[in-house]
Amino acid sequence: MPAILSLVLIAAAAVLCWKLAKQLDSKRRKKAAGGEECLEYRTDLAFDECLDALAARTAEDEFEYDCARQPDGSFLLHFTLHKPTGQPVDTLYALRLDAGRQTVVTLHFLREAFGYRQPVFPKELLDAFLAKKLAAAPKAPPQTGAQNAG
């Protein structure tokens, strides 16, 4: 009887640890969705012009990329950069284009090669890529009341 009780307690502790780890990961993802892992840009190009610009590959591109359309209308932007070490840097973003007076380009980090949970490409590289490809600028941070008054 004590052996069965011990097994039940060990199983309960394992389930509790798993649930806590899952909850912490969920909180981290929710926090990251509004943070640096979600980038927003604005461009004067129309929606179709953005698609054409992304489809056009040039020798001047810093890295190789693939932009596949998904059934929900979004795109998967898959960046690959081959480093001299032989290990490619491989990053996947969800790309969303919202048409309007200005087209809003949203990049949401999904995954990095080798299980990294943070993007390897620095934000400055993504800014430069989208500025070159789509003439897109990062969304300006919101102004606070103190900045507007002064």
Side-chain angles (χ1 to χ4, degrees), residues 46-105:
F47 182 85
D48 292 336
E49 292 173 319
C50 289
L51 293 179
D52 292 342
L54 286 169
R57 308 286 196 283
T58 66
E60 297 173 3
D61 291 339
E62 291 88 3
F63 37 77
E64 294 182 26
Y65 67 94
D66 178 294
C67 191
R69 189 172 200 132
Q70 300 301 298
D72 66 355
S74 67
F75 298 85
L76 283 181
L77 189 57
H78 184 210
F79 292 120
T80 305
L81 178 66
H82 293 281
K83 295 284 199 178
T85 60
Q87 283 189 324
V89 176
D90 184 53
T91 307
L92 188 65
Y93 282 92
L95 172 82
R96 183 178 167 141
L97 298 170
D98 294 310
R101 193 176 58 115
Q102 284 190 316
T103 302
V104 178
V105 180

Side-chain angles (χ1 to χ4, degrees), residues 15-34:
V15 168
L16 182 63
C17 288
W18 176 76
K19 282 192 171 206
L20 287 174
K22 192 171 180 177
Q23 185 179 22
L24 288 173
D25 190 50
S26 174
K27 283 182 182 179
R28 183 196 59 81
R29 287 177 192 257
K30 193 180 284 187
K31 181 180 176 185

Side-chain angles (χ1 to χ4, degrees), residues 32-42 54 63 65-67 74-79 91-98 104-111 119 121-131 133-134 136-139:
E36 206 168 298
E37 293 183 15
C38 187
L39 306 171
E40 190 172 298
Y41 300 86
R42 305 212 183 254
L54 286 169
F63 37 77
Y65 67 94
D66 178 294
C67 191
S74 67
F75 298 85
L76 283 181
L77 189 57
H78 184 210
F79 292 120
T91 307
L92 188 65
Y93 282 92
L95 172 82
R96 183 178 167 141
L97 298 170
D98 294 310
V104 178
V105 180
T106 307
L107 286 177
H108 180 72
F109 174 74
L110 296 177
R111 70 162 176 79
F121 288 114
K123 182 182 179 314
E124 295 78 26
L125 188 63
L126 293 173
D127 291 350
F129 172 77
L130 289 171
K133 277 291 186 187
L134 304 177
K139 179 183 172 192

